[in-house]
Amino acid sequence: MEDQRQRVAGVDAAGGGLGGAGAVLRTATCAAATYRAAAAGDVASVAFVIVSYGALLLMLRFLRAYEVFPPEAAVRREGLRRRVWALCTLLTAMFAWKVAGVMTWPVALGVWAAAAVTSAAGFVLMFRQRRP
């Protein structure tokens, strides 16, 4: 347990300032987008921003936990990888839905195809490829 705490401290110390600045900027941007959408009365956009921000935070938290857990905790790491892939797929689908909504149907079809290929490739790379 102590070794795990030292790893967390080492990871936090390595990029603490830049990571903190990114978190502040990400939060401020999402708050501004939520405020603008709420002021315009666009409930769907408010929900989109809140859900995508929450999914991004969860994904980053799971990625950090994956980095910290030792390779011996293979079952725990596998569960974290599954969660990260599911959240990446959710974010990909959400952004494809938003982008495809403002495109013509042939371009929207291309956006959805790209999202599907990206998610499928992520699945293959994360779960089906052999590791050394």
Side-chain angles (χ1 to χ4, degrees), residues 4-20 23 26 56-70 76-77 80-81 83-84 87:
Q4 186 175 354
R5 285 191 190 125
Q6 289 173 347
R7 285 185 187 189
V8 171
V11 171
D12 288 341
L18 190 57
R26 185 174 50 244
L56 182 64
L57 288 180
L58 274 175
M59 187 182 71
L60 292 174
R61 179 182 172 139
F62 292 151
L63 281 172
R64 174 60 58 96
Y66 183 84
E67 290 174 348
V68 171
F69 275 110
R76 182 86 168 136
R77 288 172 62 103
L80 289 169
R81 279 192 338 181
R83 291 176 187 155
V84 167
L87 288 167

Side-chain angles (χ1 to χ4, degrees), residues 13-36:
L18 190 57
V24 168
L25 181 63
R26 185 174 50 244
T27 302
T29 303
C30 287
T34 303
Y35 176 78
R36 277 194 312 269

